[in-house]
Amino acid sequence: MLSKLDEIRLLSQCALADNRDAFGRLVEAYQPRVRRFLLNLTMGDEMLTDDLAQETFIKAYVGIRGFKGLSSFGTWLYRIAYNEFYNHARRHQEEHVEDITRLGDVSTAGTDAIDASMTVKEALSRLNDNERVAVTLYYIEDQPIKQVAKIMNMPEGSAKSLIYRGKDKMKQFIGN
């Protein structure tokens, strides 16, 4: 993980000198978190996650001069990743619905950990895209409500509502 000072230095090198090595270091630092976020949104589709993560970092590189520092670099990246996922979901709505339906039909067997993991994935698949994004950011990525709202470009109250509704739907599905 980069210190705040290292991050600012690397961002400056990217924006002012078009330093690709500096951007590469930023990618190395943030890629695991961006991939994990997208992997949860894509319901475990690693190929789609890789494609969306690659597009996220390409757009970040191209738009690095537009980063104003009003939020953290991580929040800015999550916002780009969210937009990439949202645009993909909108373009492929029918395919996405079929994938969720197939995922819900998967029979789980094995250890309790695998069962629990599949139950959470199935519960996440029952949420609409906005609820899944909000729940993932808040509970899995450990982002505060304020950051969830910024990433999703909505008021904090709306983000709280999405998280509450998503959590409630998941609780009803899991049965606790």
Side-chain angles (χ1 to χ4, degrees):
M1 191 67 189
L2 296 173
S3 72
K4 194 69 176 165
L5 189 59
D6 286 338
E7 184 178 292
I8 291 168
R9 183 179 48 78
L10 291 171
L11 286 167
S12 297
Q13 289 174 0
C14 292
L16 300 175
D18 197 27
N19 185 326
R20 292 180 185 192
D21 292 332
F23 189 76
R25 291 207 36 223
L26 289 168
V27 170
E28 287 173 13
Y30 282 95
Q31 187 174 30
R33 289 191 280 172
V34 169
R35 280 196 86 258
R36 183 180 61 228
F37 172 60
L38 289 167
L39 194 61
N40 282 304
L41 297 183
T42 63
M43 303 306 300
D45 186 334
E46 290 191 26
M47 287 178 56
L48 178 56
T49 294
D50 289 342
D51 289 346
L52 294 173
Q54 183 175 10
E55 286 300 315
T56 296
F57 286 108
I58 288 171
K59 288 211 170 135
Y61 181 74
V62 169
I64 196 83
R65 287 187 173 101
F67 175 64
K68 294 178 174 73
L70 299 175
S71 62
S72 73
F73 181 68
T75 299
W76 187 67
L77 274 177
Y78 278 126
R79 178 69 190 166
I80 294 170
Y82 167 73
N83 285 341
E84 285 302 305
F85 169 75
Y86 182 78
N87 290 336
H88 170 80
R90 201 175 52 206
R91 284 189 308 265
H92 297 92
Q93 189 68 8
E94 287 179 14
E95 293 173 26
H96 186 67
V97 169
E98 288 175 19
D99 288 344
I100 289 173
T101 304
R102 269 199 311 269
L103 193 89
D105 294 339
V106 172
S107 171
T108 59
T111 67
D112 289 341
I114 292 172
D115 289 344
S117 175
M118 289 303 294
T119 301
V120 170
K121 280 186 177 182
E122 287 180 61
L124 278 170
S125 76
R126 306 292 171 138
L127 305 180
N128 68 42
D129 287 342
N130 283 335
E131 291 166 342
R132 186 168 48 251
V133 169
V135 167
T136 299
L137 283 169
Y138 187 72
Y139 288 107
I140 298 173
E141 297 301 320
D142 204 27
Q143 294 289 319
I145 299 274
K146 188 174 193 168
Q147 293 304 102
V148 172
K150 271 187 182 179
I151 291 166
M152 296 184 73
N153 196 28
M154 62 178 51
E156 286 182 38
S158 298
K160 284 181 186 178
S161 294
L162 286 171
I163 292 166
Y164 177 79
R165 279 196 317 263
K167 180 178 130 184
D168 194 48
K169 284 181 184 179
M170 289 180 71
K171 191 187 314 183
Q172 287 176 8
F173 176 78
I174 292 172
N176 290 331

